[in-house]
Amino acid sequence: MRNNIRKTVLCCLTILLITACVDEKVPPRSKAFIDKYFPQSTVVLVEMDDDDDDGKEYSVLLNDGTKVEFDLQGDWKRVSRKKTGVPSTLVPKPILQYVKTNYPEDVITKLSRKPYGFKIELSNDEDVRFNPQGQFIEKID
């Protein structure tokens, strides 16, 4: 019985240490973003990517399945959240209004910042582009 208790305590401490180490890999600017928009979530994985299109970036996976990609300065580039959709507080208001009007049954599952503005992916798998002010540009087939 004591061995089981010791093993359980040791396992819990190991998980806490691993979580703390992973969390330390997230730069302060990115950590502030995560704390603001995903306060109930914790970081479970941080990966450095060398993307040919966008240069170096790193991805952060949260315990609720959310994936956030950041540039090296810590600014968000992409947020992907399949189950519940991207937090509405993160989406520019004109884009949110466009989706509510034109796709009332769908949620935004991916939000990306692009040189031309924003790109969203909806729960119906449609992609839509917007300019920096959040005005509709085109639907991507």
Side-chain angles (χ1 to χ4, degrees), residues 1 3 9 22 26-27 36 42 52 59 79 83 94 100 103 105 107-108 114 141:
M1 174 111 163
N3 275 344
V9 169
V22 168
V26 180
K36 179 177 180 179
T42 57
D52 291 335
S59 301
V79 176
K83 291 181 182 176
K100 283 181 181 179
Y103 302 95
E105 301 297 318
V107 295
I108 299 171
K114 299 288 187 179
D141 294 325

mmCIF file of all heavy atoms in Angstrom, residues 1 3 9 22 26-27 36 42 52 59 79 83 94 100 103 105 107-108 114 141:
data_model
loop_
_atom_site.group_PDB
_atom_site.id
_atom_site.type_symbol
_atom_site.label_atom_id
_atom_site.label_comp_id
_atom_site.label_asym_id
_atom_site.label_seq_id
_atom_site.Cartn_x
_atom_site.Cartn_y
_atom_site.Cartn_z
ATOM 1 N N MET A 1 0.824 -1.193 0.000
ATOM 2 C CA MET A 1 0.000 0.000 0.000
ATOM 3 C C MET A 1 0.869 1.259 0.000
ATOM 4 O O MET A 1 0.595 2.187 -0.736
ATOM 5 C CB MET A 1 -0.924 -0.038 1.212
ATOM 6 C CG MET A 1 -1.700 1.216 1.380
ATOM 7 S SD MET A 1 -3.411 0.907 1.052
ATOM 8 C CE MET A 1 -4.129 2.307 1.787
ATOM 9 N N ASN A 3 3.872 1.518 -1.082
ATOM 10 C CA ASN A 3 4.534 1.615 -2.393
ATOM 11 C C ASN A 3 3.619 2.276 -3.418
ATOM 12 O O ASN A 3 4.068 3.063 -4.242
ATOM 13 C CB ASN A 3 4.976 0.248 -2.894
ATOM 14 C CG ASN A 3 6.328 -0.156 -2.349
ATOM 15 O OD1 ASN A 3 7.063 0.688 -1.839
ATOM 16 N ND2 ASN A 3 6.650 -1.429 -2.455
ATOM 17 N N VAL A 9 2.517 9.592 -5.693
ATOM 18 C CA VAL A 9 3.091 10.904 -5.391
ATOM 19 C C VAL A 9 4.230 11.223 -6.350
ATOM 20 O O VAL A 9 4.329 12.329 -6.881
ATOM 21 C CB VAL A 9 3.562 10.967 -3.913
ATOM 22 C CG1 VAL A 9 4.388 12.217 -3.656
ATOM 23 C CG2 VAL A 9 2.374 10.918 -2.983
ATOM 24 N N VAL A 22 7.906 22.658 -19.685
ATOM 25 C CA VAL A 22 7.302 22.997 -20.977
ATOM 26 C C VAL A 22 6.833 24.441 -20.965
ATOM 27 O O VAL A 22 7.057 25.197 -21.897
ATOM 28 C CB VAL A 22 6.121 22.041 -21.298
ATOM 29 C CG1 VAL A 22 5.314 22.550 -22.468
ATOM 30 C CG2 VAL A 22 6.636 20.649 -21.585
ATOM 31 N N VAL A 26 7.883 28.834 -23.286
ATOM 32 C CA VAL A 26 7.019 29.804 -23.938
ATOM 33 C C VAL A 26 7.481 31.209 -23.546
ATOM 34 O O VAL A 26 7.508 31.542 -22.368
ATOM 35 C CB VAL A 26 5.544 29.591 -23.535
ATOM 36 C CG1 VAL A 26 4.651 30.596 -24.218
ATOM 37 C CG2 VAL A 26 5.101 28.172 -23.869
ATOM 38 N N PRO A 27 7.856 32.049 -24.545
ATOM 39 C CA PRO A 27 8.286 33.417 -24.232
ATOM 40 C C PRO A 27 7.183 34.214 -23.524
ATOM 41 O O PRO A 27 5.993 33.930 -23.705
ATOM 42 C CB PRO A 27 8.579 34.017 -25.606
ATOM 43 C CG PRO A 27 8.848 32.847 -26.481
ATOM 44 C CD PRO A 27 7.965 31.747 -25.956
ATOM 45 N N LYS A 36 -4.401 35.307 -21.630
ATOM 46 C CA LYS A 36 -5.534 36.191 -21.908
ATOM 47 C C LYS A 36 -6.678 35.459 -22.614
ATOM 48 O O LYS A 36 -7.843 35.596 -22.239
ATOM 49 C CB LYS A 36 -5.078 37.375 -22.761
ATOM 50 C CG LYS A 36 -6.196 38.330 -23.112
ATOM 51 C CD LYS A 36 -5.691 39.521 -23.896
ATOM 52 C CE LYS A 36 -6.833 40.465 -24.232
ATOM 53 N NZ LYS A 36 -6.359 41.637 -24.974
ATOM 54 N N THR A 42 -3.617 24.796 -20.215
ATOM 55 C CA THR A 42 -2.199 24.741 -19.877
ATOM 56 C C THR A 42 -1.410 24.252 -21.083
ATOM 57 O O THR A 42 -1.925 23.513 -21.926
ATOM 58 C CB THR A 42 -1.935 23.791 -18.689
ATOM 59 O OG1 THR A 42 -2.432 22.490 -19.009
ATOM 60 C CG2 THR A 42 -2.587 24.293 -17.427
ATOM 61 N N ASP A 52 8.990 26.635 -44.462
ATOM 62 C CA ASP A 52 9.577 27.238 -45.666
ATOM 63 C C ASP A 52 8.846 28.501 -46.108
ATOM 64 O O ASP A 52 9.454 29.432 -46.607
ATOM 65 C CB ASP A 52 9.582 26.230 -46.820
ATOM 66 C CG ASP A 52 10.553 25.094 -46.574
ATOM 67 O OD1 ASP A 52 11.516 25.292 -45.811
ATOM 68 O OD2 ASP A 52 10.333 24.005 -47.136
ATOM 69 N N SER A 59 5.216 26.364 -32.340
ATOM 70 C CA SER A 59 3.836 25.956 -32.091
ATOM 71 C C SER A 59 3.679 25.579 -30.633
ATOM 72 O O SER A 59 4.554 24.944 -30.053
ATOM 73 C CB SER A 59 3.474 24.743 -32.943
ATOM 74 O OG SER A 59 3.620 25.026 -34.301
ATOM 75 N N VAL A 79 -4.242 30.444 -34.937
ATOM 76 C CA VAL A 79 -4.899 29.785 -33.806
ATOM 77 C C VAL A 79 -5.859 28.767 -34.385
ATOM 78 O O VAL A 79 -6.682 29.092 -35.237
ATOM 79 C CB VAL A 79 -5.671 30.795 -32.915
ATOM 80 C CG1 VAL A 79 -6.417 30.065 -31.812
ATOM 81 C CG2 VAL A 79 -4.731 31.834 -32.340
ATOM 82 N N LYS A 83 -12.665 21.961 -31.669
ATOM 83 C CA LYS A 83 -13.856 21.574 -30.902
ATOM 84 C C LYS A 83 -14.815 22.727 -30.644
ATOM 85 O O LYS A 83 -16.001 22.643 -30.947
ATOM 86 C CB LYS A 83 -13.454 20.941 -29.571
ATOM 87 C CG LYS A 83 -12.808 19.591 -29.718
ATOM 88 C CD LYS A 83 -12.469 19.013 -28.374
ATOM 89 C CE LYS A 83 -11.771 17.674 -28.535
ATOM 90 N NZ LYS A 83 -11.347 17.118 -27.257
ATOM 91 N N PRO A 94 -15.543 42.924 -37.367
ATOM 92 C CA PRO A 94 -16.174 42.798 -38.686
ATOM 93 C C PRO A 94 -16.185 41.356 -39.205
ATOM 94 O O PRO A 94 -17.144 40.935 -39.848
ATOM 95 C CB PRO A 94 -15.323 43.693 -39.588
ATOM 96 C CG PRO A 94 -14.640 44.650 -38.669
ATOM 97 C CD PRO A 94 -14.452 43.903 -37.389
ATOM 98 N N LYS A 100 -21.352 35.534 -38.453
ATOM 99 C CA LYS A 100 -22.682 35.407 -37.839
ATOM 100 C C LYS A 100 -23.783 35.612 -38.869
ATOM 101 O O LYS A 100 -24.816 34.948 -38.836
ATOM 102 C CB LYS A 100 -22.842 36.409 -36.699
ATOM 103 C CG LYS A 100 -22.129 36.012 -35.441
ATOM 104 C CD LYS A 100 -22.352 37.028 -34.338
ATOM 105 C CE LYS A 100 -21.612 36.634 -33.081
ATOM 106 N NZ LYS A 100 -21.784 37.604 -31.992
ATOM 107 N N TYR A 103 -22.807 32.678 -42.032
ATOM 108 C CA TYR A 103 -22.619 31.283 -41.617
ATOM 109 C C TYR A 103 -23.103 31.105 -40.175
ATOM 110 O O TYR A 103 -22.331 30.754 -39.292
ATOM 111 C CB TYR A 103 -21.137 30.894 -41.710
ATOM 112 C CG TYR A 103 -20.546 31.051 -43.087
ATOM 113 C CD1 TYR A 103 -19.858 32.216 -43.441
ATOM 114 C CD2 TYR A 103 -20.669 30.040 -44.038
ATOM 115 C CE1 TYR A 103 -19.308 32.364 -44.704
ATOM 116 C CE2 TYR A 103 -20.119 30.184 -45.304
ATOM 117 C CZ TYR A 103 -19.447 31.351 -45.628
ATOM 118 O OH TYR A 103 -18.903 31.489 -46.880
ATOM 119 N N GLU A 105 -24.641 28.905 -38.555
ATOM 120 C CA GLU A 105 -24.536 27.575 -37.951
ATOM 121 C C GLU A 105 -23.082 27.146 -37.716
ATOM 122 O O GLU A 105 -22.842 26.109 -37.101
ATOM 123 C CB GLU A 105 -25.225 26.528 -38.843
ATOM 124 C CG GLU A 105 -26.691 26.808 -39.098
ATOM 125 C CD GLU A 105 -27.511 26.780 -37.815
ATOM 126 O OE1 GLU A 105 -27.280 25.884 -36.980
ATOM 127 O OE2 GLU A 105 -28.370 27.667 -37.644
ATOM 128 N N VAL A 107 -18.761 27.794 -36.750
ATOM 129 C CA VAL A 107 -17.820 28.512 -35.902
ATOM 130 C C VAL A 107 -16.482 28.613 -36.634
ATOM 131 O O VAL A 107 -16.201 27.830 -37.538
ATOM 132 C CB VAL A 107 -17.618 27.823 -34.532
ATOM 133 C CG1 VAL A 107 -18.892 27.831 -33.729
ATOM 134 C CG2 VAL A 107 -17.065 26.430 -34.687
ATOM 135 N N ILE A 108 -15.689 29.568 -36.227
ATOM 136 C CA ILE A 108 -14.352 29.739 -36.797
ATOM 137 C C ILE A 108 -13.430 28.766 -36.074
ATOM 138 O O ILE A 108 -13.223 28.880 -34.865
ATOM 139 C CB ILE A 108 -13.857 31.184 -36.623
ATOM 140 C CG1 ILE A 108 -14.799 32.147 -37.344
ATOM 141 C CG2 ILE A 108 -12.426 31.325 -37.130
ATOM 142 C CD1 ILE A 108 -14.530 33.615 -37.047
ATOM 143 N N LYS A 114 -2.291 37.001 -42.071
ATOM 144 C CA LYS A 114 -1.574 36.894 -43.340
ATOM 145 C C LYS A 114 -1.143 38.280 -43.784
ATOM 146 O O LYS A 114 -1.657 39.283 -43.280
ATOM 147 C CB LYS A 114 -2.499 36.278 -44.413
ATOM 148 C CG LYS A 114 -2.993 34.890 -44.094
ATOM 149 C CD LYS A 114 -1.872 33.905 -44.221
ATOM 150 C CE LYS A 114 -2.368 32.476 -44.079
ATOM 151 N NZ LYS A 114 -1.291 31.519 -44.216
ATOM 152 N N ASP A 141 -12.048 28.367 -52.632
ATOM 153 C CA ASP A 141 -12.588 27.027 -52.953
ATOM 154 C C ASP A 141 -11.552 25.957 -52.785
ATOM 155 O O ASP A 141 -10.415 26.096 -52.904
ATOM 156 C CB ASP A 141 -13.121 26.999 -54.390
ATOM 157 C CG ASP A 141 -14.330 27.913 -54.536
ATOM 158 O OD1 ASP A 141 -15.106 28.011 -53.584
ATOM 159 O OD2 ASP A 141 -14.489 28.509 -55.618
#
